[in-house]
Amino acid sequence: MEDKNLINDYCKEVADEFVENYTKELDSNILNMIQHFGYDNDNFDNSGKWLDDNGYKLLFDEDIKSEDNKKTKAIYLENIKSNEVIALFMIQTWIEDGNLFYRFSDIFCKEEGE
């Protein structure tokens, strides 16, 4: 029984570390994206208000599954007034040999006047 508890504890640690790293990278990308358009904090404390005050919406699309069983999700920033996407990045997740992997794309931002 003790071995089972050790294995469960190890699995929980690995899962927690994976989620922590994934979340840290996701948060960093979102912050970088909105900072490009003028958000001047290093955390999310006022980001919702800032988005509303500046006419932006942060949106997440649904996972798109490819033929090789990789899932891709886009996170994008929309300018509400012009109804256009002004920045985005994507996240791809997949399972390989029983392990869960992810990768983030670069952040793509529309420059003013484009």
Side-chain angles (χ1 to χ4, degrees):
M1 187 64 148
E2 190 172 316
D3 287 344
K4 186 176 180 181
N5 288 337
L6 287 173
I7 292 170
N8 287 339
D9 289 346
Y10 174 75
C11 289
K12 184 176 177 350
E13 285 177 32
V14 169
D16 289 348
E17 183 179 343
F18 179 90
V19 169
E20 181 181 334
N21 290 335
Y22 178 90
T23 303
K24 188 182 293 185
E25 193 165 351
L26 176 64
D27 289 351
S28 176
N29 278 7
I30 291 171
L31 275 172
N32 286 333
M33 187 167 60
I34 63 178
Q35 286 171 339
H36 181 81
F37 292 95
Y39 183 69
D40 60 1
N41 290 325
D42 290 331
N43 56 50
F44 289 109
D45 289 350
N46 298 310
S47 61
K49 182 175 178 356
W50 181 86
L51 288 165
D52 290 341
D53 290 349
N54 289 279
Y56 298 123
K57 270 199 285 191
L58 186 63
L59 302 164
F60 298 75
D61 74 356
E62 298 205 15
D63 289 337
I64 299 169
K65 195 171 188 177
S66 64
E67 290 178 14
D68 57 0
N69 287 326
K70 292 182 178 178
K71 292 181 180 179
T72 304
K73 175 182 286 299
I75 290 131
Y76 49 100
L77 187 63
E78 179 184 21
N79 180 320
I80 296 169
K81 285 183 182 175
S82 64
N83 195 33
E84 64 182 335
V85 173
I86 57 171
L88 71 93
F89 67 93
M90 295 190 275
I91 308 163
Q92 191 171 57
T93 57
W94 69 97
I95 296 174
E96 187 175 303
D97 297 328
N99 296 306
L100 181 59
F101 294 93
Y102 68 87
R103 65 176 161 220
F104 285 76
S105 73
D106 290 336
I107 301 168
F108 301 94
C109 296
K110 181 177 180 179
E111 295 301 322
E112 198 169 316
E114 286 186 318

